[in-house]
Amino acid sequence: MNLRLLALLIPLLTMPGVLADGLPDLGEASQSGFSPQTERRIGEAIMVDVRHDRSLVDDTELTDYLNNLGYRLVASSTENRQDFEFFVLRDNTLNAFALPGGFIGVHTGLILAAQSESELAAVLGHEIAHVTQHHLARIIAKQEQSTITSLAALAVAILAARSNPQVANAAMATAQATSIQTQLDFTREHEREADRIGIQTLTQAGFDPRAAVSFFERLQKSSRLYENNAPEYLRTHPITSDRIADLQNRLEDKPYRQVPDSLEFQLVRAKLRAEEGTPQQAIAHFEEALREKKYSSEAASRYGLAAALLRAKETARAEQELAQLRKITAPNAIIENLDALIKTASGPPSAALTQYQTALKSFPNHRALVYGYAEALLQNRNSSDALKLVGDRLRRFPNDGRLYELQAQGYAMQGKMLLSHQAQAEAYAHQGNLVAAIEQLQLGLKAGDSDFYQLSIAEARLKALRAEHAELTKKP
């Protein structure tokens, strides 16, 4: 998703019936202004569709790592009064992008291309600066006849174009698209401002600020090989020699410091690499790296090999590699979770359950372990323990949509259909899909398996969701 594609799709979205359902009608940007609240509402509307896109990486560990990294940077930013959400799209192109309201997406290709954690942090810091300085909002506010609703729908449609390049190519041929594309591009001043603030944030967060220069220089050199097919990040964030020189000047008086990568950075990159190509290709990649000692982290390479072996259903070999991995690294939640997944695949069920129980004692807040344990309990028809685990977690983390999904499964297993539909409704509501949440509560109220107290709670929640949906979709 990027601003150029955003512009290319404008002519398509002026056709009847193209605007996405459920997007808030927020009036004309030029008349109402573009407040932070408006930005957030647009971003949330877009994210409803992003969360249903097949390219969205549904990997808790990768998402948590990226959000931890992102919030480490946000905490060091001078403008950190808003919420952020970082997510990953499975795409081998080098791209990252910011949406209105603090939503920042990163392509898997960019994560794999980063040669250090500081390089990845440099890109996130730049995108965070675009958000905190409201660059996209300032561009949109200048459009005299652009409604915010149509711009939100426009961004939603980009996801469809990702899998249908002919659509984007057809739009590219129109003069209107070319004109609006120019208006929506980040300006040179925006890029310089994001560079300056991003470097400050990177330094304050304890990363190597020179990583921004090294990453941008490498991208610039590689772009010469692409000709007209440059990486998306170069097309939406043009990297010029002047920009690089400006960054170098800003860093000239800064002392050099070497910042080691976290093990988590190396592990999530190894996980992504283990999922590329066929399982045998992934196995061969890590075997060669270990044999030739061509790696930046032996632990990550052994983790990647074990993950690739699990993918190939070679669980015995995966267990052997995991045993080797444990000899060279300290206990780590991501490694413990892989162990549980291997035991789940190889059986017996009791081994996986024991592994989850043991791992959660050391890493009680690792979401992947919590979800995996709940799923294992449900697979073994132990809905009571699963519901207790999920219920305890929800009291601490009431906004975790995945926990509500697991709770819905547990209640359904016990035949408690109102409670099941009610939990699923909360899962949808936390995804921003209010229509689906309302439908679930309506189904639950028809189930006929609840008492007066439970019905009253469900009816009150249904009323609240309907009011929220009406507020979001009302005309100005």
Side-chain angles (χ1 to χ4, degrees):
M1 179 134 10
N2 57 70
L3 290 177
R4 288 183 181 273
L5 276 177
L6 190 84
L8 296 177
L9 286 163
I10 283 180
L12 300 180
L13 289 173
T14 58
M15 299 176 184
V18 176
L19 294 181
D21 292 334
L23 289 171
D25 189 346
L26 301 173
E28 296 209 359
S30 59
Q31 294 179 1
S32 64
F34 210 46
S35 68
Q37 294 77 15
T38 298
E39 286 188 65
R40 188 70 182 182
R41 288 176 68 185
I42 294 173
E44 288 172 348
I46 296 169
M47 289 302 297
V48 171
D49 289 74
V50 170
R51 294 186 182 106
H52 287 87
D53 187 71
R54 288 180 298 177
S55 65
L56 182 70
V57 177
D58 184 19
D59 186 299
T60 303
E61 290 176 325
L62 180 57
T63 302
D64 281 357
Y65 165 75
L66 195 67
N67 276 274
N68 289 337
L69 177 61
Y71 265 98
R72 177 177 167 183
L73 292 161
V74 170
S76 300
S77 170
T78 56
E79 298 289 338
N80 56 9
R81 295 185 296 273
Q82 70 175 88
D83 292 330
F84 280 80
E85 182 177 331
F86 301 83
F87 59 96
V88 183
L89 295 177
R90 192 173 301 282
D91 192 313
N92 60 9
T93 59
L94 308 185
N95 201 12
F97 56 90
L99 295 173
F103 298 95
I104 294 177
V106 182
H107 285 194
T108 53
L110 188 139
I111 297 173
L112 288 170
Q115 293 183 1
S116 71
E117 191 167 32
S118 289
E119 287 191 352
L120 178 57
V123 174
L124 291 184
H126 184 94
E127 296 303 321
I128 289 169
H130 277 312
V131 173
T132 60
Q133 302 311 116
H134 306 283
H135 288 159
L136 183 55
R138 281 152 57 182
I139 293 171
I140 293 173
K142 292 180 181 178
Q143 309 306 308
E144 294 182 355
Q145 296 180 341
S146 296
T147 66
I148 295 174
T149 302
S150 64
L151 285 164
L154 198 66
V156 168
I158 294 169
L159 293 169
R162 286 163 47 79
S163 59
N164 188 355
Q166 288 77 20
V167 172
N169 289 337
M172 198 179 303
T174 70
Q176 182 182 3
T178 303
S179 173
I180 299 176
Q181 173 180 317
T182 302
Q183 296 171 15
L184 287 178
D185 281 344
F186 282 135
T187 67
R188 188 172 300 178
E189 289 72 22
H190 289 153
E191 292 298 344
R192 286 184 181 276
E193 186 176 33
D195 285 342
R196 175 178 57 80
I197 294 174
I199 287 294
Q200 292 175 353
T201 301
L202 200 64
T203 304
Q204 287 293 112
F207 291 101
D208 177 13
R210 287 176 173 77
V213 177
S214 63
F215 192 55
F216 289 163
E217 283 181 330
R218 200 164 65 253
L219 281 177
Q220 188 185 47
K221 290 176 182 177
S222 68
S223 69
R224 297 165 188 162
L225 304 176
Y226 288 89
E227 295 182 354
N228 293 328
N229 295 312
E232 291 294 345
Y233 198 77
L234 295 184
R235 291 199 291 243
T236 56
H237 301 72
I239 297 171
T240 64
S241 298
D242 287 344
R243 274 185 65 194
I244 293 175
D246 185 52
L247 284 172
Q248 290 172 328
N249 290 335
R250 292 181 183 280
L251 297 170
E252 189 173 4
D253 297 330
K254 301 286 185 183
Y256 173 78
R257 60 176 174 179
Q258 188 173 6
V259 181
D261 297 332
S262 69
L263 179 58
E264 286 73 21
F265 168 73
Q266 298 288 358
L267 291 177
V268 297
R269 291 176 76 250
K271 173 184 278 196
L272 287 174
R273 183 64 187 83
E275 295 168 354
E276 287 192 329
T278 66
Q280 295 306 320
Q281 287 172 332
I283 291 171
H285 168 81
F286 287 110
E287 286 180 333
E288 180 183 2
L290 289 166
R291 183 173 58 253
E292 303 294 332
K293 298 187 184 300
K294 294 180 178 178
Y295 48 70
S296 56
S297 167
E298 180 183 356
S301 291
R302 291 202 177 277
Y303 171 88
L305 178 55
L309 288 166
L310 173 60
R311 186 180 163 207
K313 297 182 172 55
E314 297 186 36
T315 54
R317 284 189 62 197
E319 287 178 337
Q320 293 173 5
E321 284 301 325
L322 199 65
Q324 292 297 316
L325 172 58
R326 289 187 182 282
K327 293 178 182 179
I328 62 173
T329 189
N332 180 278
I334 295 177
I335 295 172
E336 296 302 325
N337 188 53
L338 178 59
D339 191 348
L341 293 174
I342 292 171
K343 285 181 168 60
T344 299
S346 60
S350 58
L353 290 171
T354 300
Q355 169 59 20
Y356 278 121
Q357 290 170 344
T358 302
L360 280 168
K361 289 178 182 177
S362 299
F363 307 101
N365 294 321
H366 192 71
R367 288 199 306 152
L369 287 170
V370 174
Y371 299 160
Y373 186 33
E375 288 167 356
L377 288 169
L378 290 172
Q379 288 169 3
N380 285 276
R381 310 299 297 177
N382 189 346
S383 58
S384 296
D385 284 351
L387 286 170
K388 182 179 184 308
L389 171 68
V390 170
D392 290 344
R393 290 285 298 186
L394 278 172
R395 279 187 283 276
R396 295 172 57 199
F397 305 100
N399 295 320
D400 191 328
R402 178 63 181 139
L403 290 176
Y404 286 110
E405 291 178 350
L406 292 166
Q407 189 179 58
Q409 294 174 33
Y411 281 134
M413 193 173 290
Q414 295 182 351
K416 299 176 180 178
M417 298 315 299
L418 169 61
L419 295 178
S420 178
H421 285 298
Q422 192 171 9
Q424 189 60 53
E426 293 303 326
Y428 285 136
H430 283 85
Q431 295 171 5
N433 192 344
L434 297 185
V435 173
I438 290 169
E439 290 175 350
Q440 284 294 317
L441 282 173
Q442 290 172 334
L443 289 171
L445 288 169
K446 295 176 182 177
D449 65 345
S450 54
D451 56 32
F452 175 79
Y453 176 72
Q454 291 172 337
L455 282 172
S456 298
I457 292 174
E459 288 171 348
R461 182 59 173 146
L462 177 59
K463 182 179 179 181
L465 287 175
R466 282 173 170 164
E468 184 178 352
H469 182 256
E471 176 66 22
L472 285 172
T473 56
K474 73 178 182 179
K475 299 295 182 180

